[in-house]
Amino acid sequence: MMEHDCKLTQEIVELIDREADLLMRGVQNCNLEGLRKRISTLFLQYIKTPTFNPEVARLLKVPQDSAVFRKNIYFCPSCKSYLPSTEFSLSANARTIGRCRKCSKLDNEARQREEFTKYKLLLKQLKKSEADYKDDAKIAFLLQQEDIQYLVENIWGSNSALSACDDLYELAMVRWNKYYEWSPWNCILLTKEEAAAHLKLANADQVTNTVYLGFTVTFLYV
């Protein structure tokens, strides 16, 4: 170690000498734990330094040159990791460094899974309600998640037609006229509570300019 004379190696040698001196004085091992941990930490730092141990350079992912580190390494606030610039999507007009590619991909996949889960649940509820009618309904069973997503987002604006509730987990797509098979032209998006009340109506087509399910309705659904 003395062939690499520097502040680090000098401190390690001094601590080792101190430990030897304390052992000669009869100090118990339990009282030397802190000193030995300090020696181990410094020795680990010593063997991880390419200047002293060239072979370790192949295993280090972070450049040891501070200048290189400042220029090409960025911090990802999501995974809390320091990564090379190639791991980030950098645009020409970007003022700050955002999440790394991996974190961005995971976030997009998670959001996509969440959205599909909502529409999958809506479709499952629709198929169950149609099966309960036992009137040989078919259209609902031909739908895919993408079909439900299109109807919810583009036809109903992802809101209950009555209360404007936008929590998809609380919504249900049911028949407008319960005496006819569900179809994209015979449906309405409501909260589950509103849907239950709607299906109790004898004839929904006659509802106009009146109080409907607790809401003042001034138009006729068709």
Side-chain angles (χ1 to χ4, degrees):
M1 186 179 294
M2 295 308 297
E3 62 182 280
H4 300 126
D5 190 16
C6 65
K7 183 177 180 180
L8 176 61
T9 57
Q10 291 173 3
E11 186 175 358
I12 294 175
V13 171
E14 289 176 2
L15 292 177
I16 293 174
D17 289 341
R18 187 183 306 173
E19 179 185 4
D21 181 57
L22 292 173
L23 287 172
M24 291 179 64
R25 296 184 183 187
V27 176
Q28 296 181 358
N29 289 333
C30 61
N31 294 325
L32 297 174
E33 290 183 0
L35 177 60
R36 287 172 174 171
K37 286 183 179 179
R38 175 61 177 165
I39 294 173
S40 298
T41 301
L42 292 178
F43 183 71
L44 180 61
Q45 182 179 345
Y46 172 79
I47 63 176
K48 287 174 61 177
T49 305
T51 303
F52 310 135
N53 182 16
E55 287 298 315
V56 80
R58 298 185 298 105
L59 305 176
L60 295 178
K61 296 182 179 179
V62 178
Q64 297 302 298
D65 186 345
S66 60
V68 174
F69 183 86
R70 287 193 297 269
K71 291 180 180 179
N72 300 318
I73 302 297
Y74 297 101
F75 178 72
C76 174
S78 183
C79 62
K80 310 298 182 184
S81 300
Y82 287 94
L83 302 168
S85 58
T86 54
E87 295 299 321
F88 294 84
S89 298
L90 303 176
S91 60
N93 58 351
R95 295 185 177 181
T96 59
I97 303 299
R99 292 172 297 189
C100 65
R101 296 179 189 274
K102 182 178 180 181
C103 290
S104 297
K105 181 180 179 182
L106 288 174
D107 181 67
N108 290 337
E109 290 177 350
R111 293 178 187 275
Q112 188 175 40
R113 285 196 299 271
E114 181 183 5
E115 291 301 316
F116 280 146
T117 298
K118 294 176 181 179
Y119 296 114
K120 183 177 181 180
L121 182 60
L122 271 172
L123 181 58
K124 182 179 179 180
Q125 293 171 343
L126 173 60
K127 289 181 178 179
K128 183 180 183 302
S129 65
E130 285 298 289
D132 290 341
Y133 280 105
K134 298 180 181 180
D135 58 359
D136 199 29
K138 296 182 177 65
I139 297 177
F141 298 92
L142 300 176
L143 296 175
Q144 301 295 324
Q145 292 173 192
E146 293 77 8
D147 302 321
I148 288 293
Q149 182 177 2
Y150 179 85
L151 290 172
V152 169
E153 294 181 355
N154 295 280
I155 304 303
W156 299 104
S158 300
N159 295 312
S160 162
L162 288 176
S163 61
C165 172
D166 59 0
D167 185 353
L168 291 182
Y169 287 111
E170 292 297 323
L171 299 180
M173 187 171 288
V174 296
R175 297 180 179 185
W176 166 248
N177 188 326
K178 64 182 178 180
Y179 300 109
Y180 294 95
E181 177 182 2
W182 183 97
S183 64
W185 50 90
N186 183 39
C187 68
I188 185 171
L189 185 66
L190 302 168
T191 66
K192 296 174 183 178
E193 183 179 356
E194 294 164 355
H198 169 78
L199 294 175
K200 292 180 181 179
L201 294 173
N203 190 344
D205 288 332
Q206 295 178 353
V207 177
T208 181
N209 295 322
T210 186
V211 176
Y212 174 53
L213 308 186
F215 297 87
T216 301
V217 176
T218 58
F219 56 91
L220 175 64
Y221 290 105
V222 293

